[in-house]
Amino acid sequence: MKIAVLSCLVAAVCCAPQFQRPSLQDRDFIAILSDERQDQGDGSFAYVFEAANGIRENRVGSVGSKGQSNMQGTYLFPLPDGTFAEVRYVADEFGFRAESPLIPTDHPLPAHAIEQIRFAEEQRARGVTF
C-alpha cells in the first residue's frame, strides 16, 4: 500500500509543469521616463513616476495626527482599448479612499428594504428587541 501511494506521489511530481525562468532576452523592459523623489526627513515626502508604457503615479505624504503616514495622489495606467484609467486616492487616519469611474459602486437599496430598515429602527426606538 505504501509503495502504491509513493509511486503515485512520484508520478504526480514528475508530471507537474516545469517552470523555466525567462532569459534576459525574453523579458520586455519598460523605460522609466521620470522618477523624482523628495524626502523632507520629517515623514513628509513627494513622489512622481512615469514609465514609457503610460503608467504614471504621483504621491504626496505627510505625518498624520496619530503618527501614521497620510498620503494622497493619483495613478494612471493604459487600458487595452487605448484609453487610460485614473485612480485618485487618499490614505489617512480614516482609511484608504479611492475614486475612479472604474471602481464599482453600491446599487441603491430597493424601496421594500428601506421600509424594513425604517420599521426596524422604529421598533428599536420603542425598546423592542429580538
Side-chain angles (χ1 to χ4, degrees), residues 4-38:
V5 171
L6 183 61
S7 298
C8 290
L9 186 60
V10 169
V13 169
C14 290
C15 294
Q18 301 298 313
F19 174 75
Q20 291 181 337
R21 184 176 297 279
S23 68
L24 288 177
Q25 292 81 19
D26 296 338
R27 295 183 189 173
D28 290 331
F29 289 96
I30 306 298
I32 304 302
L33 303 178
S34 69
D35 186 353
E36 300 172 22
R37 301 163 190 251
Q38 298 173 347

Side-chain angles (χ1 to χ4, degrees), residues 40-102:
Q40 281 70 31
D42 61 354
S44 55
F45 65 91
Y47 171 72
V48 178
F49 171 85
E50 184 175 1
N53 64 354
I55 295 174
R56 290 178 269 168
E57 180 184 1
N58 64 25
R59 184 184 323 167
V60 177
S62 62
V63 177
S65 62
K66 298 179 181 176
Q68 78 282 358
S69 291
N70 287 350
M71 293 182 247
Q72 62 183 16
T74 60
Y75 59 90
L76 289 91
F77 56 93
L79 296 172
D81 66 359
T83 62
F84 283 85
E86 180 177 2
V87 178
R88 293 187 175 118
Y89 64 90
V90 174
D92 56 17
E93 57 269 7
F94 302 111
F96 179 82
R97 299 174 307 284
E99 294 178 5
S100 173
L102 299 174

